[in-house]
Amino acid sequence: KAAACLIRPDVAERLPPAVLALVTDQPYRAFAKALFLFYPQAGWPLVTGPTSAPIGGPIHPTARIEDGVVIEPGAVVGAEAEIGRGTRIAANAVVGYRVTIGRDCFVGPGARLIHCLVGDRVIFHSGVAIGQDGFGFAMGPQGHLKVPQIGRVIIQDDVEIGANTTIDRGALNDTVVGEGTKIDNLVQLGHNVVVGRHCVIVSHAAIAGSTVLGDFVVVAGCAAIAGHLKIGTGAQIAGASAVLDDVPPGKKVAGIPARGLKQWAREQASLRRLAERSRSD
């Protein structure tokens, strides 16, 4: 359905006849430049508001705050932000421009929330960073051109996010954390990651951009999941594993690279026996 497509000359002939070919040797770099034309302020995050917004002190006068909200000393609430009843914003936290937070939430001390929409009963522990730019660059011999990030982070109800965890905003689409998911300290979610409902992600896990997790997925500590993968509902990733391929629903995987848990256990047992035999020789 596209009207035009940035495309390399060697594959331009594959386009449907109705699509205009914008021929370039570096389509991704051209795409980054085009995004800057459409979104000239996207080169840096909007924290408290656009430059044209009036200065309003720590709590911007355009912010909409329901009764029963507690905002502790040092917290900043940006322009057009919305905070629901019963929510507490702890000392030195930042609630950015147009961020929406539901009811009965807790935003811990030093947490930073920008470019995000948050449901009800969500807990952010100290130092959480939500909605910063993902790692997007058009790389090349003439330097690495920043690709503007224009998506958001959507966090559904009853999510809990541990201290110093970072969740990047979407590049084009949104990054999503599903209802009831629990995320430990020091976890990294890249841009456009989609996490299903009631998942558990343990500390030091890292999930690269555009990977999709189904519901009730468990990712143990220090596991790493490559980008653009699909992790099926109920799958379990063992600690310190490196997932490089899709994981079917209900599958348990372990190791580097990750494979079936039983296979990994047999391999480890075989290596142990081989090592013991070598010592005895």
Side-chain angles (χ1 to χ4, degrees), residues 86-273:
T87 290
R88 176 180 289 269
I89 310 299
N92 298 319
V94 174
V95 177
Y97 172 58
R98 288 185 175 174
V99 166
T100 297
I101 300 175
R103 293 174 173 172
D104 300 311
C105 295
F106 174 75
V107 179
R112 289 89 67 199
L113 276 59
I114 57 175
H115 303 298
C116 63
L117 304 179
V118 179
D120 298 332
R121 300 174 301 279
V122 176
I123 297 173
F124 300 95
H125 289 280
S126 301
V128 162
I130 307 293
Q132 63 284 333
D133 286 357
F135 192 76
F137 297 92
M139 300 184 183
Q142 64 271 59
H144 308 314
L145 179 66
K146 181 177 179 63
V147 178
Q149 309 288 287
I150 61 174
R152 305 167 296 179
V153 178
I154 310 296
I155 298 177
Q156 297 178 359
D157 296 345
D158 299 302
V159 169
E160 184 163 347
I161 299 176
N164 294 315
T165 281
T166 59
I167 301 178
D168 297 339
R169 68 187 296 197
L172 296 176
N173 300 321
D174 295 326
T175 301
V176 179
V177 179
E179 171 189 348
T181 284
K182 310 302 180 187
I183 300 177
D184 199 357
N185 305 332
L186 294 166
V187 169
Q188 159 69 19
L189 302 185
H191 55 196
N192 297 96
V193 165
V194 176
V195 177
R197 299 174 302 139
H198 306 291
C199 294
V200 173
I201 304 176
V202 184
S203 60
H204 293 281
I207 302 176
S210 299
T211 282
V212 177
L213 276 63
D215 299 337
F216 293 96
V217 170
V218 175
V219 182
C222 295
I225 303 177
H228 300 272
L229 299 182
K230 292 184 178 179
I231 310 301
T233 293
Q236 297 182 18
I237 314 298
S241 298
V243 180
L244 306 180
D245 297 297
D246 293 347
V247 178
K251 183 80 170 179
K252 298 178 181 179
V253 299
I256 303 175
R259 56 269 198 202
L261 182 62
K262 291 182 178 178
Q263 177 184 345
W264 174 82
R266 287 194 296 268
E267 291 173 1
Q268 297 304 304
S270 297
L271 288 171
R272 188 179 303 111
R273 288 193 295 269

Side-chain angles (χ1 to χ4, degrees), residues 6-86:
L6 294 158
I7 192 166
R8 295 195 318 271
D10 57 320
V11 291
E13 63 202 28
R14 301 184 188 179
L15 282 179
V19 180
L20 176 65
L22 304 176
V23 179
T24 171
D25 290 330
Q26 296 179 308
Y28 192 44
R29 197 174 187 89
F31 175 70
K33 292 180 178 179
L35 276 179
F36 271 118
L37 295 176
F38 285 103
Y39 302 92
Q41 289 185 314
W44 55 87
L46 286 175
V47 181
T48 57
T51 55
S52 59
I55 296 173
I59 301 176
H60 199 278
T62 62
R64 294 179 285 276
I65 300 172
E66 291 188 341
D67 294 338
V69 171
V70 175
I71 300 177
E72 296 181 1
V76 174
V77 179
E80 301 179 44
E82 298 184 15
I83 303 176
R85 184 182 63 241

